[in-house]
Amino acid sequence: MNSQVKILFSFFLFIFLALFGHENAYGISVKMTQPRNGARFERCADIVLKAEADIPDAQIKRIIFNWNLNTVKSVRTAPWESTIEDVADGIYEVYAKLTDTNNQSTTSDTIQVFVGSILNGEMLKNGEFGCGIAPWTLSLAEGASAQLLIDPEGYLSDESSMAVIEIENPGTANWHVMMVQSCPLDSGHTYEVYFSASVEKAKNIGVDFQSTSGTYPVHFWQTVELTEDTFEYGPIEFFSTVTDHTTQFKLALSEDNTSVFFDAIQVIDKNWVKNTTDVDEQPPIVVRSYGLLQNDPNPFNPQTDIKFVAPRNGWVNLSIYNVKGQLIKTLVNAVTSEGSHTIRWDGMDDDYLPVPSGVYIYRLATESFTSSKRMLLIK
């Protein structure tokens, strides 16, 4: 009888291990130790991911870091860490997956990381050029040839590189050129698209999400007209009927061979629900250093607002120069108070004469801080 009990016990133990795995039988676990859940970072920050397990390093085969459903690094030796560089504005979900030398796996709890000026309740899927983990690629069809150029000195948006699509040869009658980036979709969710663009002459482009998860490709497509005097576009709204985390987001060009300048492309999930579990309370923002913000609107005509912040009372000079370095207008040259300040420029020089269209540089200078940014006046 005892031998039968032992046989039955061994049988059920085998079934238990087969169904539930080593992590449940022996209690292996892994947890994220950095960043903390709910941590906030500045736009384009480098974020270090760290994990630790409750088993010796010698028993760990690998730890994989998963960032918004994408595997970003598989680490096979201690220390168990990885770095994500130049992270764009967004709310990101991160977890670690441990596999031991017996090929049993377990995952950590998911943490949330907040980057830049993203609003709670909205999730930014794609960031600005040169500041995100997913690269932009160019897709050509029907004999078209083109180049995708990234200009780090682009001025359509603050702190962002600008993308220029130069069409060299349109190709056959049905030619098109597409700028592509991966963007996961969830069924039943509404997405909003925003971007900045500049064109030499008015033209239509296609804004498309293409899913290939089913038997046939599914497209969510809208046509958007770009004009010479409009620079900000959106919200362009889409409703997804599929769940596909390999969806491709595309901006499609055709019609003519004129160049298009793009910047600050954003895809926002309006149905994203913030998980508040274990998220630390965030202290109020304290101004610890001087800062100069991008003017708004930009490009502008005839006036624009320039904002800066000061950590204490002190002398400040805010002036505008042309691209030759010549002083055009002094907006502030005085002692200012601690806090945020907004200064409006009306497009006039120091002699109260209107300045011509073009690129201008505004510069904030204090006894210990200097910063400059560019803006575009179009008349």
Side-chain angles (χ1 to χ4, degrees):
M1 188 69 176
N2 289 337
S3 61
Q4 291 178 334
V5 171
K6 290 180 180 179
I7 292 173
L8 287 173
F9 176 80
S10 299
F11 173 76
F12 284 115
L13 178 61
F14 172 80
I15 296 297
F16 178 83
L17 292 176
L19 290 176
F20 299 103
H22 181 269
E23 67 269 29
N24 290 324
Y26 297 102
I28 68 170
S29 65
V30 62
K31 66 178 181 180
M32 294 289 302
T33 58
Q34 186 175 329
R36 63 175 175 79
N37 193 20
R40 295 178 182 269
F41 297 87
E42 294 182 354
R43 173 191 293 178
C44 297
D46 294 344
I47 300 178
V48 178
L49 310 178
K50 293 184 179 181
E52 66 178 29
D54 62 351
I55 59 175
D57 289 344
Q59 296 179 21
I60 299 176
K61 183 176 182 179
R62 63 178 175 270
I63 291 181
I64 294 175
F65 291 100
N66 191 291
W67 178 275
N68 266 26
L69 305 175
N70 295 308
T71 297
V72 294
K73 186 67 177 291
S74 177
V75 184
R76 296 182 178 273
T77 58
W80 310 106
E81 62 183 60
S82 180
T83 300
I84 309 297
E85 298 180 346
D86 294 333
V87 180
D89 284 359
I91 303 174
Y92 299 93
E93 296 187 345
V94 189
Y95 66 84
K97 180 179 180 180
L98 179 151
T99 301
D100 68 11
T101 51
N102 293 319
N103 289 323
Q104 304 300 321
S105 299
T106 185
T107 58
S108 71
D109 291 336
T110 298
I111 66 170
Q112 291 179 333
V113 176
F114 299 80
V115 180
S117 59
I118 192 69
L119 300 176
N120 287 340
E122 297 180 341
M123 188 171 184
L124 189 66
K125 297 290 189 180
N126 296 323
E128 296 178 347
F129 299 101
C131 185
I133 62 173
W136 289 90
T137 59
L138 201 61
S139 175
L140 308 175
E142 299 294 333
S145 61
Q147 293 188 75
L148 174 60
L149 307 174
I150 304 298
D151 176 11
E153 300 298 326
Y155 52 77
L156 289 183
S157 180
D158 178 27
E159 299 180 16
S160 169
S161 299
M162 180 172 61
V164 184
I165 298 181
E166 292 187 349
I167 300 172
E168 300 168 338
N169 181 8
T172 62
N174 295 320
W175 72 274
H176 56 270
V177 173
M178 294 178 291
M179 192 167 67
V180 183
Q181 189 184 62
S182 61
C183 180
L185 294 183
D186 291 302
S187 180
H189 285 216
T190 298
Y191 296 86
E192 290 182 347
V193 176
Y194 299 82
F195 59 87
S196 301
S198 176
V199 291
E200 300 173 27
K201 65 177 183 178
K203 66 189 306 177
N204 292 326
I205 68 167
V207 181
D208 181 34
F209 292 89
Q210 180 183 353
S211 168
T212 56
S213 61
T215 305
Y216 302 101
V218 176
H219 289 268
F220 304 98
W221 175 285
Q222 290 195 42
T223 300
V224 178
E225 182 184 11
L226 306 184
T227 62
E228 303 98 311
D229 56 357
T230 303
F231 295 92
E232 304 293 333
Y233 296 87
I236 305 162
E237 190 171 289
F238 294 81
F239 179 78
S240 177
T241 58
V242 300
T243 295
D244 180 6
H245 294 157
T246 62
T247 301
Q248 289 188 322
F249 172 68
K250 302 179 178 181
L251 295 172
L253 281 62
S254 57
E255 293 190 358
D256 59 58
N257 62 350
T258 56
S259 299
V260 180
F261 300 78
F262 286 108
D263 200 0
I265 300 172
Q266 301 177 351
V267 179
I268 297 176
D269 183 350
K270 298 298 292 183
N271 296 94
W272 184 85
V273 178
K274 179 182 176 183
N275 175 13
T276 58
T277 304
D278 295 329
V279 175
D280 296 342
E281 290 294 327
Q282 298 300 318
I285 296 175
V286 177
V287 178
R288 301 186 184 278
S289 63
Y290 286 98
L292 180 63
L293 284 67
Q294 187 66 41
N295 65 300
D296 183 38
N298 185 44
F300 68 96
N301 180 28
Q303 60 189 22
T304 187
D305 290 336
I306 299 173
K307 295 183 180 181
F308 68 90
V309 293
R312 55 187 174 274
N313 298 346
W315 172 82
V316 166
N317 179 278
L318 178 62
S319 297
I320 297 171
Y321 300 83
N322 61 21
V323 292
K324 297 179 180 179
Q326 298 168 327
L327 178 64
I328 299 298
K329 179 75 172 183
T330 299
L331 297 175
V332 178
N333 188 30
V335 174
T336 61
S337 60
E338 173 188 352
S340 177
H341 302 267
T342 300
I343 308 298
R344 177 162 294 177
W345 183 42
D346 57 6
M348 300 287 185
D349 63 16
D350 276 332
D351 294 324
Y352 300 98
L353 297 175
V355 300
S357 298
V359 176
Y360 292 88
I361 295 99
Y362 57 100
R363 178 176 179 268
L364 179 70
T366 73
E367 294 177 350
S368 60
F369 175 87
T370 301
S371 180
S372 299
K373 291 185 180 294
R374 299 196 301 173
M375 56 185 169
L376 178 63
L377 171 61
I378 298 180
K379 295 185 176 181

